[in-house]
Amino acid sequence: MTWTERLSLRIAQSIKTEETHFSTGQLAHGIEIFILNVINVIVIVALSLLFGLIGEVIPLLFFFFGLRLLTGGVHLKNPWTCLAFTVTLIVSGGLLIKNLPELSSPYVEIGMILVGGAGFLINYFYAPAKHTYMPADPKIQNRNRIIVLLAIGIGCLLSVILIEYTYKLSMTYILAVLLQSVLLMPRSFQIVSYLENKS
């Protein structure tokens, strides 16, 4: 048992009452996810400050986690491997955005439309992912799907329209949609399951 699991269990045991609708295990799991997300954000912000990427990483982090919060997606079982993967993914994305040359070409807009369209379709078919922290209530799942589809559709449309004014922000949103969508695909779950079973 990791220290985050032990801490989460202690907190859950101290706040659980007879009126609580959730079990101690469910509370502990939710608390642990919260703790791990706080650690994720602290490490990502610290590294982005260290590498001078704060202006690129914070919007990417905001867009990515906003979409992922509604849809879920693949997770690694080991929280520290998950932390390392998430930090690498977001900081690398910020580095990519910072060094992205500004191209004024209709091909860039077509590429953005294709990525946005692919993200929309992936989320239409697979969002929200079945996972321990995603609600099982079909009404909530349907609501989350509609919200994320609207966010992707409207966000990608605005990104294409405003690309000449906010190139990096537009590309950041498209990158966030791409990352979130890839981590929602069934193939991503299969790859992670294979790697975790092999180790």
Side-chain angles (χ1 to χ4, degrees), residues 39-105:
I39 293 169
N40 261 337
V41 170
I42 290 169
V43 173
I44 288 169
V45 169
L47 284 175
S48 63
L49 280 169
L50 181 68
F51 295 120
L53 299 171
I54 199 80
E56 291 77 20
V57 166
I58 295 301
L60 180 60
L61 188 65
F62 176 77
F63 294 142
F64 175 74
F65 277 116
L67 293 169
R68 193 158 162 83
L69 184 66
L70 293 166
T71 64
V74 71
H75 278 279
L76 297 160
K77 286 179 187 169
N78 183 310
W80 305 112
T81 307
C82 194
L83 172 75
F85 177 77
T86 304
V87 168
T88 303
L89 189 71
I90 299 297
V91 173
S92 298
L95 191 62
L96 176 69
I97 295 296
K98 183 170 188 161
N99 295 304
L100 200 65
E102 287 198 28
L103 306 169
S104 58
S105 161

Side-chain angles (χ1 to χ4, degrees), residues 1-171:
M1 187 179 273
T2 65
W3 69 268
T4 55
E5 289 173 319
R6 286 194 300 273
L7 177 62
S8 303
L9 188 58
R10 267 190 241 125
I11 294 170
Q13 288 168 340
S14 69
I15 63 171
K16 173 115 171 69
T17 64
E18 288 182 18
E19 293 82 36
T20 307
H21 297 292
F22 301 103
S23 70
T24 304
Q26 289 172 317
L27 286 172
H29 184 70
I31 293 165
E32 186 184 19
I33 287 173
F34 177 77
I35 291 169
L36 292 171
N37 280 328
V38 169
I39 293 169
N40 261 337
V41 170
I42 290 169
V43 173
I44 288 169
V45 169
L47 284 175
S48 63
L49 280 169
L50 181 68
F51 295 120
L53 299 171
I54 199 80
E56 291 77 20
V57 166
I58 295 301
L60 180 60
L61 188 65
F62 176 77
F63 294 142
F64 175 74
F65 277 116
L67 293 169
R68 193 158 162 83
L69 184 66
L70 293 166
T71 64
V74 71
H75 278 279
L76 297 160
K77 286 179 187 169
N78 183 310
W80 305 112
T81 307
C82 194
L83 172 75
F85 177 77
T86 304
V87 168
T88 303
L89 189 71
I90 299 297
V91 173
S92 298
L95 191 62
L96 176 69
I97 295 296
K98 183 170 188 161
N99 295 304
L100 200 65
E102 287 198 28
L103 306 169
S104 58
S105 161
Y107 297 117
V108 174
E109 293 173 3
I110 291 169
M112 291 174 72
I113 291 167
L114 289 174
V115 169
F120 187 90
L121 288 173
I122 290 167
N123 279 274
Y124 178 80
F125 289 112
Y126 302 116
K130 288 183 172 69
H131 202 273
T132 49
Y133 71 88
M134 292 304 295
D137 184 344
K139 287 181 182 176
I140 295 172
Q141 289 180 339
N142 194 43
R143 181 205 64 197
N144 285 2
R145 180 183 294 111
I146 290 168
I147 292 170
V148 83
L149 291 176
L150 285 172
I152 289 172
I154 294 168
C156 288
L157 181 63
L158 286 173
S159 294
V160 170
I161 292 170
L162 299 174
I163 193 165
E164 302 219 5
Y165 305 102
T166 62
Y167 186 84
K168 286 194 175 181
L169 191 60
S170 293
M171 296 307 278

